[in-house]
Amino acid sequence: MKRKYLAALCIASASVITAQNAYNSAYADGYLCRGISMYETENFVGCIDQLNQLLLTNPDEEVRAEAEYYKAMALFRNGDKEALGALKTYLDCYPSSPRRHEVRFAIGSWHFYHDQYVSAVTEFDTLSSDAFDNATAADLCYRRAFCHIRTGDYDTAERDLLRLRGVKRYADQSAYYMAVIQYSRGNYSEARRGFESINKRSDLHNEARFYICHIDFADGKYATVKSEAESILKGSLPENMRLEMLRISGESNYHLGYYDNAVSLLKEYADNADDAQRTALYALGVSEFNTGNYSDAKNHLGQVTL
């Protein structure tokens, strides 16, 4: 299909006889064919170079539109800092282009990859999954749901996650974030089932274990938390989760009477948290007192009463 489309573009110029002639041409049609071919093989730097050369030839409007589209998309796929501007310029110049949905999705994805979730969801919310093939539609649903979760709109996120049911490559992600939504609503039993369903080989498995551990902590299962936390902390976690894991592990050790462990965990938590919780500072202070570190105990217990 891609070859047929490429060939159709390459023979658009009346000056060529075959697609092969077009590909080897030193004129605009050659630059366009080579640029598109390089884009399809993910040689984005080469694609951009060919299309820049084409744009210097002052091509007609149809060829220019093709070149601007592929250049903007190549910049985006290559992670170039100029990508966002190029994509927006394309939409400004060709607002009715049949490729406008793809370009707007790329703009949203650029914001998504740069953790700019409000800007990303603003773009994604203008798009219908019906405008894309199944694979891209699934990408849209997942990224839009992720952004809505990050911006606190769980109900809207849930609708997109439900659309991902049956999409194998997003099975763990959809199950995990559905569980996060249930957790945020206080439906801990349902959330736990979701977290426990995450494949052990998934990148999200350790984060799922974090939530399960948090549920156990709320239920006062301190021995379980102590045991699980040790292995969870050895794995990969976002920094905010790692700090919270230190806190609940440290407080669990405090409740179980393992004061040396509690001091080690809670001191690391307190030293790195922007606003340490008072329960943690109290547990740290008492643990320090019980291990004979009276000066630090006085300091941390003093912060509890501030």
Side-chain angles (χ1 to χ4, degrees), residues 40-286:
E40 299 293 358
T41 57
E42 300 187 2
N43 179 2
F44 301 121
V45 173
C47 169
I48 293 164
D49 177 67
Q50 289 295 305
L51 298 178
N52 280 336
Q53 294 298 319
L54 184 157
L55 292 169
L56 292 175
T57 68
N58 194 28
D60 63 42
E61 188 63 20
E62 183 178 0
V63 173
R64 175 176 290 277
E66 289 296 309
E68 295 287 7
Y69 166 77
Y70 278 102
K71 178 183 175 181
M73 293 299 289
L75 287 167
F76 167 66
R77 296 281 301 278
N78 199 47
D80 196 289
K81 63 182 180 181
E82 297 178 9
L84 183 61
L87 292 165
K88 288 184 174 181
T89 297
Y90 179 86
L91 279 187
D92 289 341
C93 294
Y94 310 103
S96 301
S97 167
R99 293 196 172 105
R100 63 189 181 278
H101 303 301
E102 298 169 52
V103 174
R104 195 168 293 282
F105 178 60
I107 292 173
S109 296
W110 189 95
H111 290 298
F112 172 82
Y113 290 132
H114 288 80
D115 301 333
Q116 298 170 3
Y117 301 120
V118 173
S119 297
V121 85
T122 299
E123 299 295 336
F124 291 151
D125 279 349
T126 68
L127 299 170
S128 168
S129 57
D130 294 336
F132 303 100
D133 59 42
N134 290 339
T136 307
D139 292 339
L140 170 62
C141 288
Y142 170 69
R143 293 174 196 175
R144 185 164 57 196
F146 186 94
C147 291
H148 279 299
I149 288 172
R150 283 292 186 266
T151 56
D153 187 353
Y154 297 114
D155 291 341
T156 302
E158 185 176 31
R159 289 196 289 271
D160 269 325
L161 291 172
L162 289 172
R163 293 188 183 102
L164 288 173
R165 284 184 172 175
V167 180
K168 186 175 181 179
R169 65 191 173 95
Y170 280 121
D172 284 327
Q173 291 92 331
S174 58
Y176 173 81
Y177 287 110
M178 283 292 287
V180 168
I181 290 172
Q182 294 305 323
Y183 181 91
S184 73
R185 293 171 176 167
N187 300 329
Y188 299 124
S189 294
E190 189 170 347
R192 187 186 193 102
R193 286 193 294 272
F195 290 128
E196 288 176 342
S197 74
I198 305 303
N199 191 302
K200 291 182 178 181
R201 293 188 296 272
S202 170
D203 291 341
L204 294 169
H205 183 247
N206 211 41
E207 294 180 31
R209 293 177 67 203
F210 161 84
Y211 277 104
I212 293 170
C213 212
H214 220 284
I215 293 169
D216 285 336
F217 180 76
D219 290 340
K221 299 178 180 178
Y222 302 126
T224 300
V225 174
K226 177 181 180 299
S227 175
E228 285 293 300
E230 291 176 3
S231 62
I232 292 173
L233 284 167
K234 291 177 182 177
S236 176
L237 280 177
E239 181 62 11
N240 63 323
M241 286 187 176
R242 191 186 74 83
L243 287 175
E244 181 63 4
M245 196 76 253
L246 288 170
R247 182 186 75 82
I248 66 174
S249 178
E251 289 191 33
S252 294
N253 275 273
Y254 157 74
H255 286 296
L256 294 168
Y258 295 102
Y259 299 121
D260 286 326
N261 289 346
V263 170
S264 176
L265 292 160
L266 291 173
K267 190 171 189 312
E268 183 178 353
Y269 163 76
D271 287 347
N272 291 281
D274 292 332
D275 186 18
Q277 292 195 26
R278 292 190 176 190
T279 56
L281 293 172
Y282 176 82
L284 175 57
V286 172

